[in-house]
Amino acid sequence: MLILLPPSEGKTPADAGTPVDLAELSFPELTPARTEVALALAAVSEQHDALSQLGVGATLAHEVHRNTRLVQEPAAPAHTIYSGVLFDALGYGSMTAGQKKKADSTVMVISGLWGAVRFGDSIPAYRLSMSVGLPGLGKLASYWKPKLAQALNAHAEGHLLVDCRSSSYAAAWAPDAACTVAINVFTERDGTRKVVSHFAKHTRGELARHLITRRGNAPETPAQLAKAAGEKWAVELVAGTARKAHALNIILTG
């Protein structure tokens, strides 16, 4: 089983540490692309209209400025850099040593800057969304799509992929639909269902934690995943097609 997550929009900068070593990150075949994106991001972040190009407001100017010195910034394990609703619900810090080891080998974060990283990879805080287009590279989802396919398809073979990514990050890599299950979250009240993004992020984080910390074997099929998720939530499994992944709908009531 592999759990695919999006990065958090905000990041928690490392207080201290050595800078990132791109060659030491997981999936080293992505190093040339990571270097190219990092250089393009630094160049954009130095421009007078950087905030507009990166699609952020004035309150995030300090985060955009940090992009100009990524190779000097202190780095720390990705599980400490990524924060926010989903990662808080996943709660890596409160896991046992064995559970953390499982999370390190199971979780894969798809990133507009790094392409893909593991929880144990040491990275600096940065600001870049997969939906952004960078000069010379174009839209990042399109830029990364062939590169991630080449790097990750063989790695994912034989694994059930639990896809907790948002749509922009899902566009950057489309693994084999037959072994992929997209996680959807709905709230239901009086027979009416709604998608609420905040609850979706939180519940996806809770699902990731449940799958990592529960006893027993990890699910290997969509049906086994539905059974595992059904231990905590009301769920529906929607079968996929040759080109469309399965979907696991988690229904929150109240």
Side-chain angles (χ1 to χ4, degrees), residues 186-195 236 251-254:
F186 299 91
T187 58
E188 183 172 279
R189 178 176 295 178
D190 299 327
T192 301
R193 288 186 184 178
K194 294 182 179 179
V195 177
E236 297 173 344
I251 315 301
L252 309 178
T253 58

Side-chain angles (χ1 to χ4, degrees), residues 79-164:
H79 63 77
T80 69
I81 298 295
Y82 294 126
S83 54
V85 173
L86 188 155
F87 292 90
D88 288 347
L90 188 149
Y92 182 96
S94 63
M95 291 180 179
T96 66
Q99 291 166 349
K100 289 178 179 178
K101 184 177 180 180
K102 184 176 180 180
D104 290 345
S105 64
T106 299
V107 173
M108 186 186 300
V109 180
I110 305 302
S111 162
L113 177 55
W114 315 115
V117 292
R118 297 287 203 180
F119 261 3
D121 287 329
S122 190
I123 59 173
Y126 62 96
R127 190 77 189 197
L128 181 64
S129 169
M130 187 67 83
S131 60
V132 166
L134 293 178
L137 303 184
K139 291 291 185 181
L140 287 173
S142 299
Y143 173 85
W144 281 113
K145 191 168 185 177
K147 298 171 177 62
L148 291 182
Q150 184 175 12
L152 302 182
N153 282 355
H155 178 81
E157 188 173 352
H159 294 279
L160 175 70
L161 278 72
V162 183
D163 193 351
C164 297

